[in-house]
Amino acid sequence: MHNCKESYVKDQKGNSLLHSPMLDLDSDVRPSPLGHLSQTASLKRGSSFQSGRDDTWRCKAPQQVAFVEKLTKLVVIQLPNFWKLWISYVNGSLFSETAEKSGQMERSKKNARQRQNDFKKMIQEVMQSLAKLIRGALLPFSLREGELRQYGGWEMKSELSGQWLTHVIQTVRLSYESLTALEIPNDMLHIIQDLILDLRVRCIMVTLQHTAEDVKRLAEKEDWVVDNEGLTSLPSQFEQCIVHSLQSLKSVLDCKLGEASVFQQHKTQEDVCQLSIGIMQVFIDCLEQLNTKPDGDADTSHLSVDISSPDLFGSIHEDSSLSSEQRLLIVLSNCCYLERHTFINIAEHFEKHSFQGVEKITQISMESLKELDQRLFEIYIELKADPIVGSLEPGIYAGYFDWKDCLIPTGVRNYLKEALVNIIAVHAEVFTISKELVPRVLSRIVESVAEELSRLMQCVSSFSKNGALQARLEICALRDAVAVYLTPESNSSFKQALEALPQLLSGADKKLLEELLNKFKSSMHLQLTCFQASSAMMKT
């Protein structure tokens, strides 16, 4: 066994540029160590040696994998001969075959019974060597320093992938089955069970670490093409990446006869939980990274929209590049879908594969996603609301307008119409990408505008009768136009703005206000249609 290791270690160090032994993991007739036991043990092998039929398995095996194959084969082929010899020795059949005299045979049998512990110790030494040699090749950190010198010696340029570790686990499991078929007592084989458990745990850790690396690269695959729901393929790609990873671990997570759950140790539960949270966080970081890319990065990115979508204000055509605001909206739309669907689906996949702490994984991931979503949302609102809010005060006082000295109102002034047109432009941009985001965005824009209008009204020292009527007309016109997007906050702002004005006392003033409001709604009917359409959409 040690010679076997030395030859592979020497080969690894001396011939690193040469090809290592080839293992064909896709073969139906791959030499099986169990074949040598077929005469002495009945094993239900089925197709256990047949790995998944995938071309990716047909590749060069790392030296450590080839070594484990050779080492286990060596033990499983040679040990049965010694074991059978020992059984014949203990039960006396060996002595009867040599036709020794009766007295000598009895003495030999007695001697054999007394030597049982010696032989047991020999078998245990073989099992310990087998386990430690495999640990030295694959789990060197699990050996003490002195043991590492004896059982290690490998060049660890890079750790084996989860795929190769899965194959090694299958190899060691089959060797364990072969040894139990010989009816070797379980206490002698316990060290092999411990090895299998540690290999399974390591395989899970490595696979999850590699999954995080795969997820990190998903940002490069974002093509910014949205479907009719305002989503790109990124959430789906993320979910599939995790599903594929968990499926690759199925045989490792499943317990064979006599094996313990990989999650029996609290430390393993905690490590797997943290790695899973890490994968989710890596994807959330990807979303943030996509948003912070400079505009130049999106020159070749395009957005396609469903041509059946009712888009009253023009759509983003396939030949137009995306602005940073549009990318921001797409990321927000994806965030919304991730929160409502993808993260919940992934939690179900984790539970299905018996992961522990799924609630913790989901809770922490959801919180992190919501934080990102809120940050990006605030950035977008700031980009869109600030110019509209900033235009109100200069617009109100354009042409040296004075609330104390103004003419009888003849209609809503241009500054308010321009503010509404700018809100409609935001509506068009959001609606083109994601209908679901419209109420959320427009409600916040309206809150900002209403708050500023209220502030401006409360800053006025006094109003003339005409000034109060003009102010009431414009506040009511804005409030009625965006009625579908009013929130308690914006309602409160409009109420405060109106309360800052003198009351309308005469019936003529009230009638004039109503006529001018109707005139405004009629003249702006086409522009305000989008808000009405949204209202109908929200009701359905």
Side-chain angles (χ1 to χ4, degrees), residues 58-159:
R58 195 182 289 278
C59 57
K60 188 173 70 174
Q63 287 282 52
Q64 291 99 314
V65 176
F67 163 65
V68 173
E69 286 270 333
K70 186 72 178 286
L71 181 70
T72 52
K73 186 176 179 182
L74 186 152
V75 172
V76 170
I77 289 172
Q78 303 228 11
L79 190 63
N81 296 326
F82 292 105
W83 183 256
K84 284 187 287 184
L85 186 63
W86 167 248
I87 297 300
S88 300
Y89 182 58
V90 171
N91 65 20
S93 60
L94 184 67
F95 306 117
S96 59
E97 287 170 12
T98 57
E100 292 187 22
K101 293 178 183 177
S102 178
Q104 285 179 320
M105 192 164 70
E106 287 305 316
R107 281 196 299 276
S108 297
K109 284 183 180 181
K110 182 181 178 183
N111 185 45
R113 285 192 293 272
Q114 290 172 344
R115 301 294 298 276
Q116 289 202 52
N117 282 338
D118 292 345
F119 188 77
K120 184 176 181 181
K121 194 180 292 183
M122 289 163 66
I123 295 291
Q124 284 173 332
E125 284 176 3
V126 171
M127 293 302 110
Q128 285 171 357
S129 292
L130 175 63
K132 288 180 180 179
L133 284 167
I134 294 174
R135 284 181 183 277
L138 302 174
L139 306 170
F141 48 83
S142 68
L143 294 176
R144 294 191 296 271
E145 191 176 339
E147 293 175 329
L148 203 53
R149 283 196 294 271
Q150 186 179 358
Y151 297 100
W154 297 85
E155 284 185 1
M156 294 296 177
K157 292 177 183 175
S158 60
E159 191 164 18

Side-chain angles (χ1 to χ4, degrees), residues 312-323:
L312 303 171
F313 306 100
S315 62
I316 302 170
H317 300 290
E318 288 188 7
D319 60 347
S320 61
S321 297
L322 291 174
S323 67

Side-chain angles (χ1 to χ4, degrees), residues 395-411:
I396 286 174
Y397 296 108
Y400 302 102
F401 179 83
D402 189 345
W403 293 112
K404 291 182 288 188
D405 181 22
C406 58
L407 302 172
I408 297 174
T410 56

